[in-house]
Amino acid sequence: MTLLKALIIDDEPFAHKVILQYAEDIPFLEIVGQCYLATEAYSMLNEKAIDLLFLDIQMPKLKGLDFIRTLDHKPQIIITSAFEEYALEGFELQVCDYLLKPFPFDRFLKAIHKTHQQISLLKQEDSSKPPEMQTADDRIFIKVDKRFIQLNLQDIQYFESYGNYVKIWIASEMYLTPRTLSSFEKELNDSTFMRIHKSYIIQKAYIDYVEGNRMVMKNGTQLTIGKSYRQEVKQWLS
């Protein structure tokens, strides 16, 4: 069974504790991050490949439903809330399930299975799309404004995270598309592209040289190598 990587977003520590305990008994569910404010989640969504969000509604600064509305590329979402009156609004935002606190383990498990089925169905739908709408080995389709543009992967120098968007740099051109960096990371070939920072994925062929923690591209652009990626870059260089 495919592993689900999940992120908890809830301002109550006890809510984190319950989900973490339940997750220990589900072998195909892995909690890869925890946030106590919705605003903290943006960077994690860019840094990691997240399949599922456990999302509270009533939180400081940015409420859960408002957070969903800001996302252009959404993972599956399970609402975990003590307030049942937001359920209809949640399902209108296409959340996968709505758990009313306090929820027992069997209800939690049912929501996880429902999410897993939904992800499997989406993958089947993607595989049934006509070839011109799929990402091929040598090209990729991205959304720019209201258009879908086809780019040759060999022309892309690097991807740069920009909030809830990604900048794609090709020579002197830049395309801005509403996706996360992690969603691209899943699709790109590791032998051709490499993530060097939470904000950058570069194409290896466009590297000019590496000096210390700085990577210089052939067009002169200087990019910082993130601390957690330095060992991987070092291994590749050697």
Side-chain angles (χ1 to χ4, degrees):
M1 187 172 283
T2 305
L3 180 67
L4 294 181
K5 295 186 176 183
L7 174 65
I8 303 172
I9 309 174
D10 198 310
D11 63 326
E12 299 177 0
F14 182 72
H16 287 247
K17 182 180 179 181
V18 170
I19 293 173
L20 288 169
Q21 287 178 341
Y22 285 173
E24 288 179 357
D25 293 323
I26 303 177
F28 59 91
L29 177 62
E30 179 185 1
I31 306 300
V32 297
Q34 296 173 246
C35 300
Y36 290 87
L37 294 173
T39 50
E40 297 172 350
Y42 292 116
S43 60
M44 286 198 181
L45 286 171
N46 275 322
E47 293 170 15
K48 300 180 179 180
I50 305 293
D51 302 304
L52 170 63
L53 300 180
F54 293 107
L55 180 65
D56 188 24
I57 289 180
Q58 294 289 6
M59 291 183 289
K61 294 187 180 180
L62 183 62
K63 297 187 183 301
L65 296 181
D66 292 329
F67 170 72
I68 295 174
R69 294 186 182 95
T70 68
L71 300 177
D72 289 302
H73 189 77
K74 293 189 282 285
Q76 293 298 310
I77 299 171
I78 295 177
I79 296 291
T80 56
S81 174
F83 301 92
E84 61 181 347
E85 60 265 32
Y86 298 105
L88 178 59
E89 190 176 355
F91 285 115
E92 286 176 348
L93 290 171
Q94 299 181 325
V95 302
C96 194
D97 210 338
Y98 195 104
L99 298 180
L100 192 61
K101 297 175 180 176
F103 44 85
F105 176 75
D106 62 334
R107 181 65 183 87
F108 180 83
L109 182 60
K110 182 179 179 180
I112 299 303
H113 279 295
K114 182 179 178 181
T115 302
H116 197 280
Q117 290 173 355
Q118 180 65 21
I119 290 174
S120 298
L121 285 172
L122 289 172
K123 287 181 178 178
Q124 290 176 12
E125 289 175 4
D126 286 341
S127 65
S128 64
K129 289 179 181 178
E132 62 270 19
M133 292 303 293
Q134 298 181 29
T135 299
D137 290 341
D138 60 349
R139 66 183 187 275
I140 193 168
F141 281 90
I142 63 166
K143 185 178 181 182
V144 178
D145 296 324
K146 296 181 179 180
R147 299 178 297 157
F148 283 89
I149 297 175
Q150 182 178 208
L151 302 178
N152 289 322
L153 284 173
Q154 63 181 8
D155 296 332
I156 298 174
Q157 298 180 5
Y158 65 97
F159 298 79
E160 179 182 2
S161 175
Y162 187 71
N164 217 25
Y165 289 77
V166 171
K167 294 179 180 179
I168 300 177
W169 293 91
I170 297 179
S172 59
E173 294 182 275
M174 185 275 289
Y175 297 93
L176 186 65
T177 187
R179 285 183 59 175
T180 63
L181 201 61
S182 293
S183 70
F184 281 111
E185 188 177 17
K186 290 179 181 180
E187 299 178 12
L188 297 172
N189 190 321
D190 289 343
S191 65
T192 306
F193 290 89
M194 177 170 55
R195 191 158 187 171
I196 65 164
H197 190 277
K198 67 180 182 180
S199 298
Y200 304 119
I201 296 175
I202 57 93
Q203 181 159 189
K204 296 173 183 176
Y206 287 97
I207 298 172
D208 189 9
Y209 63 91
V210 176
E211 184 177 37
N213 296 323
R214 183 177 55 132
M215 184 169 287
V216 181
M217 309 301 286
K218 288 183 178 179
N219 66 356
T221 301
Q222 299 185 21
L223 304 175
T224 300
I225 302 171
K227 186 176 181 180
S228 58
Y229 298 91
R230 290 171 191 169
Q231 186 60 32
E232 183 180 347
V233 172
K234 184 178 179 180
Q235 289 176 352
W236 175 74
L237 290 171
S238 58

